[in-house]
């Protein structure tokens, strides 16, 4: 069994919401979350740029000894998963698109709110069509939303922006939050669109409840500013988290704590 942490990667706070849920549910298991905030937002980038960034992130995890990685990011899952599996053939990758749509059942019209790069990939429409070809899927991109969340913007500003999307996302049975940043503002989204939402968190918890997990310390690392990520986590999750820079994490430190 792999005794090293499972890597979790996203451009920032969305991945933290997944890490936090996994860490809470499996507190003795070992996770290493990389918030790649220096490259945020991923959603405005081209497929080629996203692949290049993700290859860099996985190479960094790989030199730490990590061999299993959860892409806690729809944008990376929809644009880079195949390339990562091809480039790092001896590693295991978990994407989150198929996992997120797995609880769909009787819905007729499903909305997907996601980043521009995720919508451009068509990954949600394709994934839903595989299991539910009868469902009508409408995908809408919310370009500024990740930036608004990362910059800890006021709820009123976020609400006003979401209202501008109301005419594109109407008469839905369910709205999928197709970006891991969005569950952080779930009550605002549900009130603006007046619809029940689905997100990736519970399906991911279910996925990992079926796996044997390594025990040991968990890590929160950022590619940008640890002090700012600590502040963001404190404000949005009311957690006093220890946050490391990439330079502070070495293969020695990781293996010493397992
Ligand atoms: N949280 C990510 C996602 O699920 C990335 C958002 C971004 O950086 O644009 O797509």
């Amino acid at each position: 069994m792999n005794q090293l942490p499972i890597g979790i990667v996203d451009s920032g706070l969305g991945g933290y919401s997944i890490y936090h849920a996994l860490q809470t549910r499996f507190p003795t298991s070992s996770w290493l979350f990389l918030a790649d905030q220096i490259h945020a937002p991923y959603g405005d980038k081209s497929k080629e740029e996203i692949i290049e960034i993700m290859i860099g992130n996985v190479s960094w995890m790989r030199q730490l000894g990590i061999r299993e990685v959860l892409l806690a990011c729809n944008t990376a899952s929809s644009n880079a998963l195949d390339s990562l599996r091809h480039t790092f053939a001896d590693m295991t990758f978990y994407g989150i698109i198929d996992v997120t749509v797995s609880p769909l059942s009787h819905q007729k019209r499903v909305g997907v709110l996601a980043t521009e790069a995720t919508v451009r990939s068509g990954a949600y429409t394709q994934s839903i069509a595989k299991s539910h070809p009868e469902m009508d899927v409408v995908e809408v991109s919310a370009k500024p939303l990740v930036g608004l969340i990362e910059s800890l913007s006021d709820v009123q500003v976020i609400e006003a922006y979401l209202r501008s999307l109301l005419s594109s996302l109407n008469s839905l049975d369910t709205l999928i939050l197709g970006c891991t940043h969005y569950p952080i503002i779930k009550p605002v989204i549900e009130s603006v669109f007046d619809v029940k939402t689905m997100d990736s968190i519970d399906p991911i918890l279910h996925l990992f409840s079926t796996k044997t997990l390594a025990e040991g310390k968990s890590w929160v690392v950022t590619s940008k500013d640890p002090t700012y990520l600590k502040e963001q986590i404190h404000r949005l999750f009311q957690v006093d988290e220890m946050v490391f820079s990439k330079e502070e994490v070495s293969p020695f430190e990781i293996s010493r704590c397992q």
Side-chain angles (χ1 to χ4, degrees), residues 2-17:
N2 178 11
Q3 284 302 330
L4 287 160
I6 293 182
I8 302 175
V9 59
D10 179 43
S11 63
L13 292 167
Y16 182 79
S17 68

Side-chain angles (χ1 to χ4, degrees), residues 4-240:
L4 287 160
I6 293 182
I8 302 175
V9 59
D10 179 43
S11 63
L13 292 167
Y16 182 79
S17 68
I18 307 261
Y19 165 82
H20 181 54
L22 284 165
Q23 232 280 312
T24 306
R25 174 77 171 270
F26 309 105
T28 60
S29 302
S30 180
W31 311 94
L32 184 148
F33 166 54
L34 172 63
D36 183 22
Q37 293 178 298
I38 203 153
H39 293 118
Y42 287 173
D44 300 355
K45 297 185 166 47
S46 68
K47 183 178 175 77
E48 292 68 30
E49 286 173 305
I50 296 164
I51 291 172
E52 195 182 323
I53 289 168
M54 291 308 297
I55 287 181
N57 288 334
V58 172
S59 301
W60 178 74
M61 287 186 170
R62 198 184 152 76
Q63 56 81 33
L64 294 174
I66 290 174
R67 292 293 180 270
E68 258 181 280
V69 179
L70 167 66
L71 306 184
C73 174
N74 293 267
T75 308
S77 299
S78 57
N79 284 273
L81 183 59
D82 292 345
S83 300
L84 291 174
R85 285 186 171 143
H86 181 76
T87 308
F88 303 96
D90 61 340
M91 293 178 67
T92 303
F93 294 96
Y94 305 100
I96 61 172
I97 309 282
D98 289 347
V99 174
T100 303
V101 306
S102 60
L104 282 175
S105 56
H106 300 302
Q107 290 86 348
K108 288 198 180 73
R109 186 171 152 84
V110 178
V112 180
L113 191 63
T115 67
E116 202 155 73
T118 298
V119 171
R120 189 183 56 221
S121 76
Y124 269 100
T125 303
Q126 287 158 26
S127 179
I128 295 170
K130 277 190 279 175
S131 46
H132 298 286
E134 74 290 355
M135 280 181 200
D136 185 15
V137 183
V138 44
E139 296 197 48
V140 168
S141 69
K143 196 166 177 189
L145 208 44
V146 166
L148 290 173
I149 295 167
E150 284 283 330
S151 60
L152 304 172
S153 298
D154 286 344
V155 169
Q156 290 83 345
V157 177
I158 293 178
E159 215 171 72
Y161 168 67
L162 290 173
R163 287 196 187 289
S164 72
L165 302 178
L166 261 173
S167 59
S168 332
L169 287 169
N170 52 43
S171 317
L172 302 174
D173 300 315
T174 297
L175 177 60
I176 295 177
L177 305 185
C179 168
T180 53
H181 279 69
Y182 303 166
I184 296 170
I185 54 159
K186 180 170 161 151
V188 190
I189 296 178
E190 289 193 336
S191 81
V192 168
F193 295 102
D194 192 23
V195 67
K196 268 210 77 58
T197 60
M198 275 172 49
D199 62 58
S200 312
I201 296 178
D202 282 341
I204 289 175
L205 290 177
H206 178 69
L207 173 72
F208 282 97
S209 69
T210 64
K211 307 210 173 289
T212 312
L213 304 170
E215 301 275 302
K217 180 176 163 157
S218 289
W219 307 77
V220 175
V221 184
T222 178
S223 58
K224 204 171 175 190
D225 177 359
T227 310
Y228 185 56
L229 179 55
K230 194 174 163 59
E231 154 83 12
Q232 288 173 305
I233 292 170
H234 187 73
R235 288 268 296 274
L236 295 173
F237 297 86
Q238 289 78 50
V239 173
D240 194 13

